[in-house]
Amino acid sequence: MAKTIKTAVSLPLATYRRAESLRHKAKMSRSAVYAAALQSYFESLEVRELEARYAAGYRAKPEDIRDIEASAKAGAALFAKEDW
């Protein structure tokens, strides 16, 4: 059985009303709505971290003209095989 904890949070009234409207339409419990919202937020943080790491890597080693030409050549070769 999953472990849970009960907590209280304070929300702006407009946010609370939107969440209540959403949960009624979706037929979800209040706990399910807030758990899903937090999970989505955590996932967005992970995506932002990955994007930041990608950008830092690109800044450390940006593409040069040889990389771009090789990609263009490979793409052209793949498209040439297609029966248009």
Side-chain angles (χ1 to χ4, degrees), residues 61-84:
K61 187 180 184 313
E63 293 174 322
D64 64 22
I65 191 66
R66 292 174 304 209
D67 298 323
I68 296 167
E69 288 170 347
S71 293
K73 187 176 179 181
L78 287 173
F79 281 121
K81 294 177 183 179
E82 291 294 320
D83 186 24
W84 298 89

Side-chain angles (χ1 to χ4, degrees), residues 43-57:
E43 289 169 5
S44 74
L45 290 177
E46 290 173 10
V47 167
R48 279 190 262 170
E49 172 62 25
L50 289 172
E51 289 171 346
R53 288 176 52 200
Y54 172 83

